[in-house]
Amino acid sequence: MVFFKKLNQHEQVMQFVADIEDEKSLFRLFESRITARKNDQDGWISFVIEMADTNEMVGLHGIRETREYKTHAEIGFLLHPDFQGRGLALESTQAVIDLAFKKLKYESLYATVTAGNIASTKLLEKLGFTHKETIERNYQINGRWYDDLLFVLDHD
């Protein structure tokens, strides 16, 4: 929970993700993710991104099945700014893609990026995702409305 809180209350990390929640709200979110998976309910399967040499936690990655199609899933990640620019998001996202297609047998992966998050957009494009749709004024962060960019990657 400490690392989850550290990421989710970091202004730079959350800039294009969501409002920063108080500790009580974050605890409920953390617990809901654990409870959903324990009870075999729909929800995020979460992974910790850590340094191979030190086991230091540096980020989180996740995947969840979409409600509309059981063969499609959404992915998302958070990486602490101290570790950005080192290829860790690329490496961890590729691992999640491999898991999704090879082991979980998904046909398509989706990722939603808040407009302005250039690093995430470039990362997804580098991994073969294509921009499918822009949903205007779809998400509000700190009182400001943002467009959402929807990316998709189909399994070949």
Side-chain angles (χ1 to χ4, degrees):
M1 172 64 190
V2 173
F3 183 69
F4 185 83
K5 177 184 169 188
K6 180 180 178 179
L7 279 180
N8 281 276
Q9 288 189 329
H10 194 289
E11 286 185 29
Q12 190 176 344
V13 172
M14 300 306 290
Q15 178 183 2
F16 294 110
V17 179
D19 290 339
I20 293 177
E21 300 284 347
D22 60 38
E23 189 168 339
K24 189 175 183 180
S25 298
L26 282 177
F27 183 77
R28 282 194 304 268
L29 176 61
F30 183 79
E31 285 292 312
S32 72
R33 291 192 179 173
I34 292 171
T35 303
R37 298 312 308 167
K38 282 182 180 177
N39 296 332
D40 202 27
Q41 298 170 340
D42 291 339
W44 287 95
I45 300 171
S46 297
F47 307 97
V48 174
I49 304 168
E50 59 184 34
M51 299 299 294
D53 56 345
T54 64
N55 294 331
E56 181 179 6
M57 293 184 282
V58 299
L60 298 171
H61 219 302
I63 184 169
R64 71 174 172 182
E65 196 170 273
T66 64
R67 291 187 177 126
E68 298 82 21
Y69 303 101
K70 298 296 183 188
T71 59
H72 298 180
E74 178 181 8
I75 65 168
F77 59 90
L78 300 173
L79 189 64
H80 193 279
D82 291 348
F83 298 91
Q84 293 174 1
R86 298 185 191 186
L88 300 170
L90 179 71
E91 182 180 351
S92 62
T93 304
Q94 186 60 63
V96 170
I97 291 168
D98 291 345
L99 172 74
F101 288 149
K102 294 176 182 174
K103 300 283 186 192
L104 302 176
K105 305 298 183 193
Y106 288 115
E107 295 175 8
S108 294
L109 296 178
Y110 292 86
T112 303
V113 178
T114 303
N117 189 343
I118 296 166
S120 290
T121 298
K122 286 182 178 182
L123 173 76
L124 292 170
E125 289 171 342
K126 187 172 188 174
L127 289 165
F129 281 79
T130 56
H131 178 248
K132 180 178 180 176
E133 179 181 8
T134 298
I135 306 167
E136 295 181 6
R137 295 180 52 83
N138 191 54
Y139 197 69
Q140 194 173 20
I141 303 171
N142 296 321
R144 180 177 171 204
W145 285 99
Y146 289 88
D147 295 347
D148 271 340
L149 311 176
L150 182 62
F151 288 84
V152 65
L153 177 66
D154 294 319
H155 187 249
D156 295 327

